[in-house]
Amino acid sequence: KIGFHGHNNFGTAIWNSIVAYLSGAEIIDLSIKGFGAGAGNTQMDIFLTVLEKIGYKPKINVSKIYKIAKNFPSILGKEKIKYQNQFSEPKNIMSANYGLFSGFASKVDYYSDKLNLDDIEAFKAIGKKKLVAGQEDLIINALYNLKKNKSNK
């Protein structure tokens, strides 16, 4: 079997790993949030999201990977391992995945926490609204309605 281990020194670990996969590599070395020495390695949550975007179905629950990635810094902190973010946060990945203006990411993340909503559901709901930059005021409305609809079920 052929495998690939990508380093992110030039910010190309994701794409190089995708090309390796499409070229027949059966083993792709990935890590949560790109954790690794120096510039890090291929970031698992982004790699899996890109695979889905180009029409491949990963054999792993991407939603669970997003949640692990979100909690990763606190997990490492408990082990007294200094963590430095190498690349993108899950909220930035989800923002891109659901077609949102990147400036919405922190607001969706903030309001989903305040309303006790699942991040992924929140990003999907906002994505379905097809909001554009300048419509930030509609985020809280959409998430409030999502919470209300969930409560009525």
Side-chain angles (χ1 to χ4, degrees):
K1 293 186 176 186
I2 301 291
F4 181 78
H5 173 84
H7 289 262
N8 208 34
N9 298 51
F10 294 114
T12 59
I14 302 297
W15 189 243
N16 287 338
S17 297
I18 294 291
V19 170
Y21 177 79
L22 296 176
S23 298
E26 294 178 64
I27 302 165
I28 304 295
D29 193 6
L30 307 169
S31 64
I32 297 293
K33 297 194 59 77
F35 192 70
N41 303 117
T42 304
Q43 189 169 337
M44 184 181 293
D45 43 356
I46 296 176
F47 176 83
L48 296 171
T49 301
V50 172
L51 268 188
E52 284 185 337
K53 281 293 197 188
I54 63 173
Y56 291 87
K57 180 69 178 144
K59 296 177 184 176
I60 190 167
N61 185 323
V62 179
S63 296
K64 286 185 180 180
I65 297 301
Y66 285 152
K67 288 177 184 174
I68 292 168
K70 181 178 180 180
N71 293 319
F72 189 67
S74 63
I75 293 166
L76 283 181
K78 290 176 186 169
E79 298 297 328
K80 304 211 186 301
I81 297 171
K82 185 178 178 187
Y83 174 73
Q84 183 177 357
N85 183 22
Q86 303 292 341
F87 205 41
S88 295
E89 294 294 325
K91 65 184 174 186
N92 303 113
I93 302 163
M94 287 186 278
S95 177
N97 192 33
Y98 299 115
L100 297 174
F101 163 59
S102 61
F104 288 173
S106 59
K107 290 188 185 317
V108 176
D109 195 44
Y110 174 79
Y111 289 125
S112 63
D113 281 349
K114 289 290 182 194
L115 294 170
N116 199 28
L117 290 167
D118 178 74
D119 298 24
I120 297 167
E121 282 185 296
F123 278 95
K124 282 182 184 177
I126 300 300
K128 286 179 184 174
K129 297 288 183 188
K130 303 211 184 289
L131 302 180
V132 296
Q135 295 182 306
E136 291 85 354
D137 55 330
L138 298 176
I139 293 171
I140 184 65
N141 187 358
L143 294 183
Y144 176 79
N145 288 334
L146 175 64
K147 175 80 173 183
K148 187 174 157 186
N149 289 338
K150 287 177 67 99
S151 298
N152 290 335
K153 288 184 180 182

